[in-house]
Structure formats: C-alpha cells, structure tokens
Amino acid sequence: MKKRTNIIIIIVLAIILLLEIVLVKLGVFNTIDNFIYSHASKIINNTNTLIFRGFSVLGTEIFILFFCLIWIILNKSRGVAISVVVLASTLLNQVLKIIVRRPRPNINPLAVENSFSFPSGHTMIMVVIGGILIYLLWQKRGDNAKCNTKCIARNIILTVIICLIAITVMFSRIYLGVHYFSDIIGGITSGLLFLFISYYYYTFKFKVPYYPGKRK
C-alpha cells in the first residue's frame, strides 16, 4: 500500500467515526438498534447463551494478554510490535468510551458490564487482532514465491474463518444485551482506523523491517 493511499484511508475512517459519534449523540441509530436487538432476542435460550458467552470471552482482557504473550513467545521482536498495537487499541477504546459516554442498553443483559457502551471494545479488538492475523497471513504468501493455488486456497479459508469468528463475537455482544448494533459499527470503524494508523507508523514512519511495504 502506498503512503498516500494509507493516509487517505485514515482520513476517511476518521471522518466516518466522527459522523457515527454525532449520530449516536443525536439518537439517529435508536430505531435500527432496537430493530436488530428485537430480532437477536428471539433466539435467546440457554444453549445459545452458553455459546455466545464463550465467544464473548475472545474479547476480554485475559484473552488479549494471552494473545500478546503467545506472540512474544513465538517471535519476540514481532510479538512486541503486535502487542503494542493490540494493547494500545484497548486504551484508545476506553478513551473513546469516556468521550462519548453512552450508557449500556437499558434491557435485561445476560452479561455484566460496567463501562460505557460506544464503541464496542470486543468488536474493536476483534477487528485489530483479526486484521493483524489476516495481514500476516497474506504477507507471508507475498514473501513466498512458491505459494501455489493450494496455498492461496488455504489462506482464503483461514481468512474466512477469522472473519466468521470476529463476526460471531460481535453478534454475541448484541445477543447478550450489553451493546447496541451502532456500538458494533463504531467498534469496526475505530478498529480499522487504528489498524491503518498502526500500519502507517510501522511501515512509513518507523520503517520497521518486519512490516514491509512500499515506502516513499
């Protein structure tokens, strides 16, 4: 990705996030938020609750620390860089929550959350972690000239699996009654924004060798 393209994407995502914050403050999303939850609540039962609580664990602090620790053990230099990105994204999420100060949904939640609602921290961390994994997956293929059709097919399957897991975690937050649909949208936008900002600094600003890219 060229530096100019990266900057344009960052600006566009920042504008979209600001627009989403304004719309949330104005209550524009209320109708669609209620519509989405009303349909999600129709499938509530003990089995589904157990399943979605399980997926929801993937966005918790314990899982985040475990993910960072595993990467540091596997590859210290790259693991530290990835950990900085992941942990910094959780910090940014908390800052955004404090700025927006949106209360949690006023319903009977199936999980307990005490922080503010927008943007969804679970969603943001899934976008960041998923984005990192997909980037590294395809970056590895780009560095391997011998990657054949079978290799490409494998990468596509893994990418789909990562995306499906992330989407399931996002939906679990609505199902459990701790987030609005618009919180999920905000989490996706803020997660993507942080990913492209991180890519910019690692690739063009700091020029870290294990984050190769076209530098100008």
Side-chain angles (χ1 to χ4, degrees):
M1 180 187 297
K2 293 183 178 180
K3 183 177 181 180
R4 182 178 179 182
T5 302
N6 196 20
I7 293 175
I8 292 175
I9 292 175
I10 290 173
I11 294 174
V12 171
L13 288 172
I15 293 174
I16 292 175
L17 181 60
L18 288 173
L19 179 61
E20 289 171 353
I21 292 174
V22 171
L23 294 178
V24 164
K25 286 290 188 179
L26 294 176
V28 175
F29 287 114
N30 290 350
T31 300
I32 189 171
D33 285 338
N34 293 331
F35 176 81
I36 296 295
Y37 177 74
S38 66
H39 283 73
S41 62
K42 292 179 180 178
I43 65 171
I44 292 179
N45 58 52
N46 292 335
T47 301
N48 286 339
T49 299
L50 184 62
I51 292 173
F52 287 121
R53 279 179 176 171
F55 275 99
S56 189
V57 171
L58 297 179
T60 61
E61 291 81 359
I62 294 177
F63 174 78
I64 293 170
L65 292 175
F66 177 76
F67 176 84
C68 294
L69 180 60
I70 290 298
W71 266 108
I72 292 175
I73 293 174
L74 293 176
N75 187 319
K76 185 177 180 180
S77 57
R78 175 170 283 183
V80 170
I82 290 175
S83 297
V84 169
V85 173
V86 172
L87 295 176
S89 68
T90 62
L91 177 61
L92 174 61
N93 178 259
Q94 293 303 312
V95 171
L96 290 173
K97 285 180 183 290
I98 294 173
I99 292 174
V100 181
R101 302 181 69 84
R102 187 186 199 185
R104 294 279 176 171
N106 185 24
I107 55 176
N108 296 319
L110 300 175
V112 178
E113 296 289 351
N114 298 316
S115 60
F116 292 110
S117 191
F118 183 95
S120 166
H122 280 63
T123 298
M124 186 171 175
I125 199 64
M126 282 296 100
V127 170
V128 171
I129 290 179
I132 290 173
L133 293 177
I134 292 172
Y135 172 76
L136 293 176
L137 184 67
W138 288 97
Q139 177 199 68
K140 184 177 180 181
R141 172 186 172 266
D143 293 338
N144 185 1
K146 296 182 180 180
C147 189
N148 52 24
T149 303
K150 184 177 179 180
C151 172
I152 296 174
R154 180 202 62 196
N155 287 354
I156 291 175
I157 292 173
L158 290 175
T159 298
V160 171
I161 291 174
I162 292 171
C163 291
L164 288 177
I165 292 175
I167 292 171
T168 304
V169 173
M170 295 174 195
F171 177 77
S172 74
R173 306 305 287 168
I174 299 175
Y175 173 93
L176 295 173
V178 293
H179 275 298
Y180 298 102
F181 173 72
S182 51
D183 295 335
I184 306 302
I185 299 301
I188 293 173
T189 305
S190 53
L192 288 174
L193 174 61
F194 192 76
L195 274 179
F196 280 99
I197 291 175
S198 299
Y199 180 87
Y200 172 83
Y201 274 96
Y202 274 112
T203 305
F204 302 110
K205 197 74 173 179
F206 300 150
K207 301 182 186 296
V208 179
Y210 39 82
Y211 279 90
K214 296 179 180 179
R215 304 183 180 95
K216 289 187 176 182

